[in-house]
Amino acid sequence: MSDIQQPTIERKKRVLSCIQPTGVPTLGNYFGALRNWVKMQDEFDCFYAVADLHAITVRQDPAKFRQQIMETFALLMAIGLDPEKSLLFVQSQVPAHAQLSWLLSCCTQFGELSRMTQFKDKSAKHADNINLGLFSYPTLMAADILLYQPEYVPVGADQKQHCELTRNIAERFNSIYGNTFVVPEPYIMKTGARVRSLQDPTKKMSKSDENVNAFISLKDDKDTIIRKFRRAVTDSEARVYYGEGKDGINNLMEIYGAIVGKTMQEIEQEFEGKGYGDFKSAVGEAVAGELTPIQERLQTLLGDKAQLEQLMRTGAEHASYVAGRTLAKAQKKMGFYQFK
């Protein structure tokens, strides 16, 4: 028998994150999350889902919704997510999400859900459709996460509250029924830029903004991108430097820096003696250069529907296997009768 000790292969820490298939992601979504997801593939065991079940808390047009699900799945690959490295799947194609959500609903307190700020915000926006799903979807979000036993959940500032609820639910379930779920930690992503509205740089860039010139969609063509940046709100000083009270130009400098890899000081030096017109054009060109290859890959993927569906089916099968094991464990712990 050999005395040579075999090296221990350490398992990568697992992360899970989801994106809703409602509208086209913006440049803010790209820098704030999507580009980081690509970078995480080599360091973590990554699970990424199209969260279509969450989208129906607001009424969707069925035909458009169906297309958006497929386009969002394709977009994840177009930005650089690799099905050979990461598990990509559509939430509704894994029935365990809805099943575990009900089990966890019985371990979630009414008061916890009533304190969720997003419920209050969405209720105000959709006063004609304040449905139960809108109220309870943080519990479905907890099921999404806990099914895959991730150590980390990448979150932005607006999702910290939901991540904390997930931790509370997992700890409560484990306390009552015994160790079942990994209690995930929030993974605060380092964003390449704090992307603000191009028309009101005191606000976050949003795809739901009524002013289409306020945001850059990942599907905007080069001419549209350059035009929107030329119309971006700045100030009257006409000198490119990063400083207090220069929200508009600061926003453009952060976007430009995130793409070309330059510091604010280096950008100031690059555009010394040049006006805002030159700088806005340069930002537009840089953003278009970043997004055009993504758009081309997206069209290639959407052009082969059979291949796309096969990738979707394979992802759902793999996700169902992992999720099914967790669901069966939770059901057994709670005392449900199971066939041997």
Side-chain angles (χ1 to χ4, degrees):
M1 184 174 179
S2 174
D3 292 330
I4 299 175
Q5 187 173 359
Q6 295 297 318
T8 301
I9 300 176
E10 186 176 348
R11 182 180 75 82
K12 289 182 179 179
K13 298 292 186 182
R14 181 171 292 173
V15 300
L16 176 134
S17 201
C18 306
I19 181 171
Q20 288 196 35
T22 49
V24 181
T26 68
L27 190 66
N29 301 130
Y30 178 66
F31 283 127
L34 299 176
R35 195 164 74 158
N36 287 310
W37 291 5
V38 177
K39 296 176 182 177
M40 295 174 78
Q41 290 183 112
D42 293 323
E43 183 180 353
F44 297 99
D45 178 22
C46 298
F47 283 56
Y48 296 123
V50 177
D52 52 345
L53 291 176
H54 287 290
I56 62 170
T57 58
V58 176
R59 293 192 183 98
Q60 304 291 335
D61 173 78
K64 183 179 178 182
F65 185 45
R66 189 176 297 110
Q67 181 64 24
Q68 285 177 322
I69 292 169
M70 177 163 281
E71 286 190 3
T72 304
F73 185 81
L75 180 63
L76 293 181
M77 287 182 286
I79 64 169
L81 295 183
D82 184 350
E84 297 295 323
K85 293 181 178 180
S86 302
L87 181 50
L88 312 179
F89 63 97
V90 176
Q91 179 193 29
S92 66
Q93 295 169 355
V94 183
H97 285 259
Q99 291 173 278
L100 183 63
S101 179
W102 172 248
L103 303 189
L104 297 184
S105 292
C106 299
C107 294
T108 306
Q109 300 301 302
F110 186 90
E112 290 176 313
L113 293 176
S114 65
R115 289 191 291 271
M116 294 291 107
T117 55
Q118 285 199 8
F119 170 69
K120 297 173 184 177
D121 294 342
K122 288 194 173 183
S123 295
K125 291 180 181 178
H126 304 280
D128 61 334
N129 184 27
I130 305 175
N131 56 73
L132 179 59
L134 190 62
F135 182 73
S136 65
Y137 87 95
T139 304
L140 173 59
M141 186 179 293
D144 299 336
I145 295 167
L146 298 178
L147 275 172
Y148 301 97
Q149 308 283 23
E151 282 85 4
Y152 297 111
V153 180
V155 293
D158 58 344
Q159 292 294 333
K160 287 181 181 178
Q161 191 182 34
H162 288 154
C163 186
E164 192 57 40
L165 176 63
T166 297
R167 288 173 51 82
N168 292 343
I169 293 171
E171 289 170 346
R172 183 178 299 128
F173 192 101
N174 290 348
S175 176
I176 296 170
Y177 297 108
N179 189 37
T180 307
F181 300 115
V182 170
V183 180
E185 296 283 346
Y187 183 89
I188 309 301
M189 294 185 289
K190 297 178 181 178
T191 59
R194 295 172 297 172
V195 182
R196 303 292 181 176
S197 163
L198 298 183
Q199 294 300 307
D200 183 357
T202 63
K203 296 179 180 179
K204 180 180 176 181
M205 182 178 284
S206 172
K207 61 187 175 185
S208 60
D209 199 310
E210 292 182 0
N211 186 346
V212 295
N213 290 311
F215 61 90
I216 300 294
S217 159
L218 294 195
K219 291 177 72 174
D220 282 345
D221 61 33
K222 182 176 179 178
D223 290 343
T224 301
I225 291 169
I226 291 174
R227 184 176 69 252
K228 287 183 178 181
F229 275 110
R230 283 177 178 163
R231 294 176 178 175
V233 170
T234 49
D235 53 62
S236 59
E237 199 167 356
R239 185 165 71 87
V240 179
Y241 74 94
Y242 197 91
E244 188 175 347
K246 294 177 68 66
D247 295 330
I249 205 69
N250 291 349
N251 183 38
L252 299 186
M253 288 179 72
E254 289 189 6
I255 292 171
Y256 186 70
I259 294 176
V260 302
K262 290 187 176 182
T263 65
M264 299 302 103
Q265 186 178 8
E266 289 170 336
I267 295 171
E268 289 172 6
Q269 292 171 351
E270 180 184 353
F271 289 92
E272 187 174 359
K274 297 180 181 179
Y276 285 170
D278 290 336
F279 181 55
K280 287 180 177 181
S281 294
V283 179
E285 290 284 350
V287 170
E290 180 86 2
L291 298 188
T292 298
I294 294 173
Q295 295 166 357
E296 290 172 350
R297 289 194 293 270
L298 177 61
Q299 291 309 310
T300 298
L301 287 162
L302 291 173
D304 190 345
K305 185 177 179 181
Q307 174 67 8
L308 197 56
E309 284 190 349
Q310 183 55 50
L311 289 168
M312 196 181 289
R313 186 177 292 109
T314 300
E317 289 171 353
H318 291 169
S320 293
Y321 174 76
V322 178
R325 293 179 65 182
T326 303
L327 176 63
K329 183 178 181 180
Q331 289 174 323
K332 183 177 181 180
K333 292 277 189 177
M334 294 184 81
F336 287 100
Y337 190 90
Q338 294 174 313
F339 297 113
K340 296 180 180 179

